[in-house]
Amino acid sequence: MRPARRLTLRTKLLISFAGVGLLVLALLLVGDHIIRDAATRLEATLTAQVRPLARLNRLQSQISRIRVLEIELPRLTDLFAVSDQLELLGAERTAFDRELGAFARAVKPEKPAEAASLEENWRRYQADLANATHHANLMELDAVQRISTFESAGRFKAISRTLKQLADSTELRAGEALAQAESQHDRQRALFMTTSAIGLAVLATWIGLLARSMSGRVSRLRDAAMQIAEGGEDHPIAVPGHDEIADLGAAFNAMQGKVAARENALRAAHDELESRVAERTHELNEANAQLLREVEERRRAEERLHHQAQYDSLTGLPNRVLALDRLSQAMLAAHRGDTHVVLIFLDLDDFKKVNDTLGHPVGDALLVQAARRLRQAVRAEDTVARLGGDEFLVILGGLESPEDAEAIADKIVRAFAPSFDIGESELVVTPSMGLAAYPEDGDDPSMLLRNADLAMYDAKEAGRNTYRYFNQQVHDSSVRRLAIERQLRNAVARDEFRLVYQPLVATASQQVIGAEALLRWLSPDDGLLTPEHFITVAEHTGLIVEIGDWVLRSACAQLRAWHAMGWRHLTMAVNVSPRQFRGEHLLVSVRDCLAANALPAGSLQIEVTEGLLIRNQPEVRETLVALSELGVQLAMDDFGTGYSSLSYLKRFPFDALKIDRVFIRDLASDPDDRALVTAAIRMGKGLGLSVVAEGVETESQLAFLSDQDCDVVQGFLFSEPLPAQDFEARWLRREAMTTQLDK
C-alpha cells in the first residue's frame, strides 16, 4: 500500500497564504481602529474649538464692514449714493446684531464679562450709527464725519478688541486639545508598528523554511529532466517524497513513453500538410482574381482624388491649380488667335462679418450660393474658380477688346444685388472686382493674377460693389506700398520713428493731467509722416507689432522721465494695434515696460478701437481682463465711429470712453452732434467711465463739453502734438511756475 501523505505542497501553500491573509487582515483592522479613533478625536477637537473661532472671525469681518461703510458715508456727495450706502449699512447692522446676540448667549456661561462688554459696546455703537444715519438722511455729512471720527471710533475699537481677545483664547484652547489628540495617536501608532513587526517576523520564518525544503527537491528533479533531454539516461526519474513534486517526477517518466508515439504523429501531420498546401494554392489563385478587382477600384479612387485636387470641395468650382492651368491655356489661345483674355479677381465685401456673427456654416452656404450666381452670370465657355476663402476668379477668353469684359462685370454686380436667403437670415453681400487683361497687363498667369488682385483692392478703395481695371495708377500705388514696406523694415533699428505728445486737459481745472503719445515716421524719402501714410502697410505686413513695442517702450521711458522731474500726476495714453493682441505678447510687453521704468500700472492707459472688439473676442477679452487686473487703464478710442455696441462697454473692463473728433467738430452748428455727445457723456458716466472728448478746437466746444461734465478734453484749442521738450516747456514748466506764483 502507498504510504499516507502528511501535508501536501498545496496544503502548505494554502497555510502560508492563509497566514499572510490573516496577518494583513489583522493589521488592517488594527490600523483602521487607530485611524478611526484619531479621526474621531480630531473631529471632536476641531468641532469644539474651530467653529467658535470661525464665528469670531465672521463677527470681526462684519463689524469691520460696518465701520468701512460708516467711514465712507460722509465722503459721498450724491443723495442717491448716500441712500444706497445707508441701505447697505442697515443690512450689515441687522446681520451683525443677530449674529452677536446668538454668540453672546453661547459664551455667556463661560465668559460672562466679555459677553456683557460686547453687548454694551454694541448697544452704544448702535446708538452712534442711528445718530449718524439720521444726519446722513438730512445730508448733514459734517455731523456724520464728526460722529464717525470722535464718537463711534471708540465703540468700534472696544468691540474689535473684545472679539480679538476671545479669538486668541479660543485658538489657545484649540492648540492644546490638538496637541493632546496627536500625543494619544502617536502612542497607538507605536503599538501598531510593534505588533506588525512581530507578525511579519513569524511569517517570514515559516516561508523561509518552506522555500528551503522545496528548493532542494525541485533541483534534483530539474537535473534528472535535463539528462533525459540530452539523451544521457533513459531510466525513470527518482524523486523522494509523497507530495506533488513526487507526482511531477512520475509525470516525467510517463512523458518518455509518449515521445515515441508523437514521432509517429508528426509523420502523419506531414502528409496532412502536403494536402493543405494544395488547397492553399487554389485559394491563392482566387485571391489574385480579387486583387485585380481591387486594383480597378483603386484606379477609380485615384481618379476621384485627382478631381478633388483640381476642384473645390465646397462649391464644386475649379480650384487655384486648375484655374491657373486654364488661364495659361486661354492665354495661349489668345496669342494664337490675336484676341484678349481678361482675368476677374472677385472678393466678397465684408464676408468676414458673416462668419464672425452668424458662424461658418452660414458663411459656407453663402459661398455656395455666390458660386451659383457667378456661373449664371458668365458665358458658358468662361471659367469660374474659387481661389480660396471668399475670393473667386473668372477667366474670360476670346475677347476682341478688354472693354468687352465690362458687360460681364456689370452682370455680376447685378447678380449680387438681390439678397441671399440662408435659413432665417437675409444677407446682402456685394462683390469688389479687379480686372487685368492679357497681353496688356501681363504675359504670364502669376503676373496677371497679381495685377487683378491689385485692381480689386483699388475697387474696394473706390467704395466696393464695383470693378476696376488694372492701370498705371494701381501699379504706382502698389509700388508705393512696396517702397513704404521696404523702408519700414528696420526703421526701428535705424531710429527713424519719433513720438509727439498731445496734452490731456481736465475740463474742470484746465490742468494737464496726462498726454497721448502719437507716432511719427521720419522717412528717408518723404520726411516726417503721420500714421495715415504708413500704418496700413505696417498692419498688413505685421511690422506694427515691432513698431507698437517701440512706441510702448518709448512712451513709458518718457513718462518715467517726467515723473522723475516731479510731475508724478501725469498719465500716458498709448494706442495699440489689433495685431498686438495675438497671443500674450502685448500683456508681456506692458508688464515688462512698467517694471523696467518703475511706473505704477495706473499711470498707463491703453487705447483700443471698437473694430478690435468684434474679432477674436475670447483672445481680446482675455488680454484686456489681464491688463485691467494688472492695474492698467483701458480706453475705448474713436467711440461712435465703428459698431458702437453698448455690450462691448459692459463685457470689457474699460475705464475711459473717448468721443471721436467727428462728433465734436460741428457741436456749435449741428443739434444731432450735440445730442449724440450729450448721450455719450451721460452713458459713460452712468457706467462709471471717465469721458474724454477728442478734437476740441474752439472755446464754444469747450464750454459745451464743460456744461455736460465731460471729464477730459484734448485738441488743437490747447496744443498740437509736440515733441517731449516742447511739451515740457509749453505745459509742464509753465504750469509749475503758475503753481509757485499762486503760492
Side-chain angles (χ1 to χ4, degrees):
M1 295 181 60
R2 190 174 182 180
R5 296 179 178 177
R6 291 179 294 172
L7 286 177
T8 65
L9 180 60
R10 178 182 299 176
T11 303
K12 294 177 182 178
L13 292 175
L14 287 176
I15 292 173
S16 301
F17 291 143
V20 172
L22 290 174
L23 178 60
V24 171
L25 179 61
L27 293 178
L28 289 175
L29 291 175
V30 173
D32 179 71
H33 173 73
I34 293 173
I35 292 172
R36 287 180 181 273
D37 185 66
T40 302
R41 285 196 300 273
L42 288 175
E43 182 179 1
T45 301
L46 293 176
T47 302
Q49 304 299 333
V50 174
R51 287 182 180 174
L53 189 60
R55 201 172 192 180
L56 285 167
N57 289 336
R58 186 164 60 252
L59 288 170
Q60 186 68 56
S61 176
Q62 288 178 323
I63 195 66
S64 298
R65 287 199 299 273
I66 292 173
R67 180 60 178 167
V68 170
L69 292 172
E70 178 191 5
I71 292 173
E72 290 179 349
L73 187 60
R75 300 176 185 173
L76 304 175
T77 59
D78 183 78
L79 178 58
F80 295 102
V82 170
S83 298
D84 293 340
Q85 192 81 349
L86 288 175
E87 184 177 349
L88 291 174
L89 182 58
E92 290 292 340
R93 286 172 56 192
T94 301
F96 182 78
D97 185 69
R98 182 170 57 254
E99 185 74 15
L100 182 63
F103 177 75
R105 289 191 297 272
V107 302
K108 186 172 290 185
E110 296 180 6
K111 296 183 179 294
E114 286 82 354
S117 174
L118 281 174
E119 292 176 337
E120 178 60 21
N121 285 319
W122 172 239
R123 183 185 62 76
R124 295 180 181 179
Y125 194 19
Q126 282 270 53
D128 292 339
L129 291 175
N131 192 16
T133 302
H134 172 72
H135 287 293
N137 284 323
L138 299 177
M139 293 305 289
E140 296 175 357
L141 301 182
D142 291 336
V144 175
Q145 179 69 37
R146 175 181 55 77
I147 291 171
S148 65
T149 304
F150 301 102
E151 296 180 15
S152 62
R155 318 278 194 262
F156 167 75
K157 292 179 180 178
I159 294 173
S160 297
R161 184 169 53 254
T162 303
L163 292 174
K164 178 68 167 57
Q165 292 171 354
L166 290 172
D168 291 342
S169 63
T170 302
E171 186 176 357
L172 180 60
R173 290 198 304 274
E176 292 173 352
L178 181 61
Q180 183 178 2
E182 289 177 345
S183 176
Q184 180 66 22
H185 177 64
D186 290 339
R187 289 194 297 271
Q188 290 182 343
R189 183 172 58 185
L191 177 60
F192 171 72
M193 295 301 293
T194 302
T195 304
S196 301
I198 294 173
L200 291 174
V202 172
L203 182 61
T205 302
W206 164 258
I207 293 175
L209 293 174
L210 179 61
R212 181 178 179 183
S213 173
M214 291 177 58
S215 176
R217 299 172 66 200
V218 170
S219 297
R220 288 193 294 273
L221 179 61
R222 179 200 60 198
D223 295 340
M226 291 181 63
Q227 291 178 359
I228 293 173
E230 294 172 357
E233 295 181 4
D234 56 358
H235 53 78
I237 300 173
V239 178
H242 305 286
D243 55 10
E244 287 85 350
I245 296 178
D247 293 341
L248 184 60
F252 271 107
N253 294 330
M255 184 178 62
Q256 294 183 67
K258 294 180 179 180
V259 169
R262 290 194 175 182
E263 289 180 352
N264 296 328
L266 285 174
R267 294 189 183 93
H270 178 267
D271 297 336
E272 176 70 17
L273 181 61
E274 291 288 341
S275 174
R276 298 182 68 177
V277 166
E279 294 177 359
R280 184 60 177 167
T281 302
H282 176 70
E283 293 174 357
L284 287 175
N285 291 332
E286 293 182 351
N288 286 334
Q290 177 65 25
L291 180 60
L292 293 175
R293 291 191 294 270
E294 292 177 356
V295 168
E296 179 63 21
E297 292 178 0
R298 182 167 183 174
R299 183 187 62 79
R300 289 194 293 268
E302 289 176 350
E303 291 178 352
R304 290 194 297 270
L305 290 175
H306 181 70
H307 181 272
Q308 294 172 1
Q310 294 187 330
Y311 289 86
D312 178 54
S313 60
L314 177 64
T315 62
L317 297 176
N319 61 14
R320 179 191 182 98
V321 175
L322 183 56
L324 292 179
D325 180 68
R326 291 189 179 180
L327 179 59
S328 299
Q329 296 176 18
M331 293 168 67
L332 289 174
H335 178 72
R336 290 192 297 267
D338 195 21
T339 57
H340 297 268
V341 176
V342 172
L343 176 65
I344 300 178
F345 192 113
L346 184 147
D347 181 87
L348 300 181
D349 299 326
D350 293 328
F351 176 77
K352 186 177 186 302
K353 291 182 182 178
V354 176
N355 275 339
D356 291 341
T357 56
L358 300 179
H360 288 279
V362 174
D364 290 345
L366 175 60
L367 289 174
V368 172
Q369 291 193 22
R372 186 180 303 118
R373 292 190 185 185
L374 274 176
R375 285 196 297 264
Q376 294 171 353
V378 302
R379 303 171 301 176
E381 64 269 22
D382 297 330
T383 295
V384 177
R386 185 186 178 199
L387 188 61
D390 60 340
E391 296 174 340
F392 296 87
L393 295 179
V394 180
I395 303 172
L396 308 177
L399 301 178
E400 296 296 329
S401 169
E403 288 74 16
D404 294 343
E406 294 182 7
I408 298 177
D410 288 329
K411 189 176 180 181
I412 292 175
V413 172
R414 291 193 300 271
F416 278 79
S419 62
F420 291 85
D421 296 327
I422 300 175
E424 298 179 355
S425 302
E426 185 174 319
L427 307 175
V428 176
V429 178
T430 58
S432 292
M433 293 176 284
L435 283 67
Y438 170 82
E440 290 84 354
D441 301 328
D443 56 2
D444 66 78
S446 297
M447 181 179 296
L448 209 61
L449 180 62
R450 183 195 64 190
N451 291 340
D453 188 11
L454 294 175
M456 183 272 295
Y457 280 105
D458 189 39
K460 283 188 177 292
E461 293 176 359
R464 305 188 178 191
N465 195 27
T466 187
Y467 58 89
R468 287 289 185 271
Y469 278 94
F470 178 79
N471 53 42
Q472 188 61 37
Q473 181 180 356
V474 173
H475 177 268
D476 293 343
S477 298
S478 174
V479 171
R480 173 63 177 162
R481 284 195 296 269
L482 290 175
I484 291 176
E485 178 182 346
R486 185 181 65 256
Q487 292 176 2
L488 275 178
R489 296 191 183 277
N490 299 319
V492 172
R494 294 193 300 268
D495 194 25
E496 293 177 357
F497 290 109
R498 302 289 184 269
L499 285 184
V500 292
Y501 304 90
Q502 189 170 37
L504 300 172
V505 180
T507 309
S509 64
Q510 299 290 295
Q511 298 295 316
V512 175
I513 61 172
E516 180 177 359
L518 301 172
L519 181 64
R520 299 292 184 266
W521 178 29
L522 188 59
S523 170
D525 295 340
D526 303 309
L528 196 63
L529 299 178
T530 54
E532 57 263 24
H533 293 92
F534 62 87
I535 206 69
T536 302
V537 176
E539 289 272 7
H540 181 70
T541 59
L543 294 172
I544 191 64
V545 176
E546 180 186 9
I547 296 172
D549 288 345
W550 179 89
V551 171
L552 187 61
R553 291 195 305 270
S554 302
C556 288
Q558 184 60 60
L559 184 60
R560 179 190 62 185
W562 285 341
H563 282 190
M565 295 177 186
W567 301 304
R568 304 191 65 83
H569 67 285
L570 292 180
T571 62
M572 182 68 72
V574 177
N575 293 276
V576 296
S577 161
R579 290 289 292 269
Q580 293 177 260
F581 276 83
R582 296 182 180 177
E584 298 184 354
H585 180 80
L586 177 62
L587 179 61
V588 173
S589 297
V590 170
R591 188 184 292 118
D592 292 346
C593 286
L594 291 175
N597 295 280
L599 292 174
S603 65
L604 177 63
Q605 184 178 82
I606 297 297
E607 297 186 0
V608 299
T609 60
E610 295 178 71
L612 166 69
L613 304 180
I614 69 166
R615 42 177 106 131
N616 299 326
Q617 285 198 14
E619 187 177 45
V620 171
R621 175 174 173 77
E622 289 174 4
T623 302
L624 290 177
V625 169
L627 289 172
S628 179
E629 292 175 348
L630 189 62
V632 175
Q633 300 293 301
L634 301 176
M636 178 185 283
D637 198 10
D638 300 337
F639 181 77
T641 61
Y643 301 90
S644 300
S645 174
L646 300 184
S647 64
Y648 296 148
L649 295 177
K650 181 179 179 181
R651 292 203 306 269
F652 296 95
F654 286 109
D655 302 287
L657 182 150
K658 300 191 73 172
I659 303 174
D660 190 77
R661 66 184 70 248
V662 69
F663 301 105
I664 305 299
R665 183 176 56 239
D666 298 326
L667 274 180
S669 59
D670 192 337
D672 291 338
D673 282 350
R674 289 196 297 272
L676 288 172
V677 170
T678 301
I681 293 174
R682 291 179 181 174
M683 178 188 64
K685 286 186 168 294
L687 293 172
L689 305 179
S690 174
V691 181
V692 183
E694 299 179 302
V696 179
E697 299 180 355
T698 66
E699 291 289 347
S700 62
Q701 294 170 349
L702 177 62
F704 176 82
L705 293 169
S706 179
D707 291 341
Q708 300 303 317
D709 292 332
C710 182
D711 299 299
V712 181
V713 292
Q714 70 178 108
F716 278 29
L717 176 62
F718 303 98
S719 173
E720 69 278 9
L722 299 171
Q725 297 82 356
D726 297 340
F727 185 91
E728 295 170 11
R730 183 168 178 177
W731 290 100
L732 302 183
R733 294 195 178 96
R734 184 183 70 180
E735 191 172 287
M737 293 176 60
T738 302
T739 303
Q740 292 177 356
L741 291 174
D742 291 342
K743 292 181 179 180

